[in-house]
Amino acid sequence: MKVLLIGGGGREHALAVKIAQSPRLTELYIAPGNPGTAECGRNVPLNISDFEAIGDFVANNGIEMLVVGPEEPLVKGIADYFTDKPVSVIGPSKKGAALEGSKDFAKDFMTRHGIPTARYQSFDKNQLQQGYGFLEQLSPPFVLKADGLAAGKGVIIAGDLSEAKSTLKEMLDGKFGAASSKVVIEEFLQGIEVSVFVLTDGKSYKLLPEAKDYKRIGENDKGLNTGGMGAVSPVPFADRIFMDRVEKKIVEPTIRGLQADGISYTGFIFFGLMNCAGEPYLIEYNVRMGDPETEAVLPRMNADILDLFDGAAKGNLDVKQCSIYPKTAVTVVIVSGGYPEAYEKGAVIEGLSSIGENRVYHAGTARNGDKTVSAGGRVLAVTALADNLSAALDSVYDSVEKIHFEKCYYRRDIGKDLQKMI
Ligand code: AMP
Ligand code: GLY
């Protein structure tokens, strides 16, 4: 099978490694890819939102499957663009992608299909007073979300009512541009977060390993939100009882809801959940895999990922094989100092060849002559797979310490909170 993978981060490097292991692969192209994906296939310099250029490449190179990593092209309708073309797309239609592209749509979907989620209401520019009224009914802290995509920055948690009111006004006045022309206000849920992933053909699904993400830049979950500083899979509190509840109360009603609403869906669904005293609540949907969760989840999958993708595309995912290795994966992300605010690029990365069996996924790197240099905020994601959490932590940090570039930074406490739960 000839495959084109769209994207260029750590998630796509992890997908590229898994796709390259498939016996069904004949050629893998990655657009735009990165120096890591270049070791799995051929990088092609295409803009991920330029559907015509992607379409030409697909037609000219006989691509049979298009795997879409990031949400942006999905929300813009890349799957719809290829509907009548002879290529399978792994990623939902624009309608399905609205589960991530519009928080208001997602909350309405959850409510209509009886999926447990925080109580909410949505407001636009003309409803500021009603928004204040709803905030007055809630107790602090207050959760305000830009309706549209805001590069992961569109959620603000306000500690008191006056801050919540001024935040609502700022958001509706365009703090996040068009993305916050509508704002979802919701009840704050107290609990521990966990991310659950499925691959679906729109009728059946395969449950992938769950993961915990570490979103804040600082240790002990302090400081600004990032794209993700680390991930651990499995998650000790996501035991059989909890996961059964997740499937019955969240995953199955979602798949049934998509069918009832006439939304055909091929691809991943990422459920951002809160475990509230053992009960799962859905915080958000993403219509793609997480980053860096993918770098922890895929190494645990004992499956031919292209065969699964083919099943998802053809509607026979239920007959495909997929099991999970009973191992623990820990991923630590190494970032450029300053991230998620301003940071420098171009620092030479050393130590990449000295990490033994562990995996280094490139997220924001570039080649400069024969050197690999930093080229983004999140630069590398290092994953260790071991028999238990302690061994995986020892192993991953042993590798991370061997990698260096000027002003590099990583959190030293990934997985430490989970160690206390075992
Ligand atoms: P989201 O972009 O929807 O994932 O939100 C970003 C982060 O905000 C989540 O990962 C949670 O940590 C937090 N969050 C979002 N909604 C809620 C909520 N209703 N209660 C508590 N925390 C929330
Ligand atoms: N790591 C969170 C995300 O991919 O959305």
Side-chain angles (χ1 to χ4, degrees), residues 119-315:
R119 192 159 69 94
Y120 84 106
Q121 278 185 34
S122 301
F123 303 93
D124 65 23
K125 233 182 157 145
N126 303 315
Q127 297 168 308
L128 186 63
Q129 295 306 323
Q130 290 96 315
Y132 289 165
F134 185 60
L135 284 169
E136 282 160 13
Q137 289 174 32
L138 300 175
S139 37
F142 303 89
V143 183
L144 296 102
K145 302 185 173 184
D147 174 54
L149 291 185
K153 298 191 173 73
V155 176
I156 295 184
I157 309 222
D160 63 51
L161 186 61
S162 71
E163 185 194 342
K165 286 184 175 175
S166 57
T167 302
L168 176 62
K169 184 164 185 333
E170 280 169 28
M171 288 174 87
L172 291 174
D173 282 345
K175 185 177 170 71
F176 299 106
S180 65
S181 59
K182 198 187 269 182
V183 172
V184 170
I185 299 177
E186 64 182 46
E187 196 176 45
F188 183 84
L189 296 172
Q190 201 80 49
I192 315 177
E193 283 180 67
V194 54
S195 304
V196 168
F197 309 92
V198 303
L199 178 69
T200 182
D201 57 11
K203 304 187 304 268
S204 68
Y205 66 89
K206 293 279 187 230
L207 190 64
L208 311 184
E210 78 286 352
K212 184 173 192 292
D213 177 23
Y214 293 78
K215 287 202 171 77
R216 303 293 194 97
I217 187 72
E219 286 168 14
N220 300 314
D221 295 327
K222 298 277 181 332
L224 293 173
N225 256 327
T226 69
M229 296 295 291
V232 176
S233 177
V235 179
F237 62 79
D239 55 15
R240 197 57 256 163
I241 296 171
F242 180 76
M243 291 304 288
D244 279 347
R245 287 181 185 155
V246 170
E247 289 200 62
K248 292 275 164 324
K249 297 184 176 186
I250 292 177
V251 178
E252 289 167 14
T254 297
I255 307 285
R256 282 198 302 271
L258 288 169
Q259 286 177 297
D261 290 358
I263 301 175
S264 66
Y265 198 111
T266 302
F268 293 105
I269 310 178
F270 163 163
F271 301 85
L273 304 176
M274 192 72 89
N275 175 346
C276 302
E279 283 298 326
Y281 284 79
L282 184 56
I283 294 183
E284 63 164 354
Y285 289 112
N286 293 307
V287 297
R288 44 149 181 107
M289 285 298 288
D291 194 351
E293 293 93 325
T294 307
E295 293 93 304
V297 165
L298 292 192
R300 294 194 61 221
M301 282 176 66
N302 180 12
D304 174 345
I305 202 165
L306 274 193
D307 200 43
L308 291 182
F309 286 162
D310 193 44
K314 295 206 172 106

